[in-house]
Amino acid sequence: MAYPRLLATGAIAALTLLTACSKSEQQQTGDGLRSDMQLHDTAYYIANDAARAEMQGVCDKWKASQRSPFSWPSVVVETCNNVASANEAIRRNKDRSDFKKGMGI
């Protein structure tokens, strides 16, 4: 009965090796990733389209970097969350407005 235990151990070892960092992740230096931003709340990004678009671009670069969000600076995490919340609020308001217009309200 040692065979199933050996097989399970081998499978766990193989899975661990497959989930380890790839060479491309190990070679990332963070060049081009900005974290020099001022923290603003969701209401600020709702009111300021240019700032929201700029920070959306920064957030997209961080997401494309394939770095774990756990390794991101907290200002980047908070900013990206606030930008996403602002985008969602704007979309909800537009959908609500379109619905009311369609209902004749």
Side-chain angles (χ1 to χ4, degrees), residues 2-20:
Y3 183 70
R5 190 175 291 169
L6 180 62
L7 184 62
T9 304
I12 291 172
L15 184 61
T16 302
L17 288 173
L18 288 174
T19 60

Side-chain angles (χ1 to χ4, degrees), residues 41-100:
D41 62 0
T42 301
Y44 174 83
Y45 288 116
I46 290 172
N48 295 290
D49 292 335
R52 187 177 70 251
E54 179 186 356
M55 286 301 111
Q56 183 64 53
V58 172
C59 293
D60 290 344
K61 286 183 181 179
W62 274 95
K63 291 174 189 174
S65 74
Q66 298 180 349
R67 292 177 177 272
S68 168
F70 296 115
S71 70
W72 294 9
S74 61
V75 69
V76 174
V77 173
E78 285 294 320
T79 297
C80 292
N81 286 341
N82 290 340
V83 168
S85 295
N87 288 334
E88 180 64 20
I90 290 168
R91 186 194 59 78
R92 274 194 323 262
N93 287 340
K94 182 184 178 304
D95 289 349
R96 187 177 299 119
S97 174
D98 291 347
F99 177 74
K100 286 181 177 181

Side-chain angles (χ1 to χ4, degrees), residues 24-45:
S24 65
E25 287 177 300
Q26 293 170 350
Q27 293 171 352
Q28 290 179 358
T29 61
D31 294 340
L33 295 177
R34 288 184 46 202
S35 62
D36 61 334
M37 57 192 74
Q38 187 175 3
L39 184 61
H40 295 290
D41 62 0
T42 301
Y44 174 83
Y45 288 116

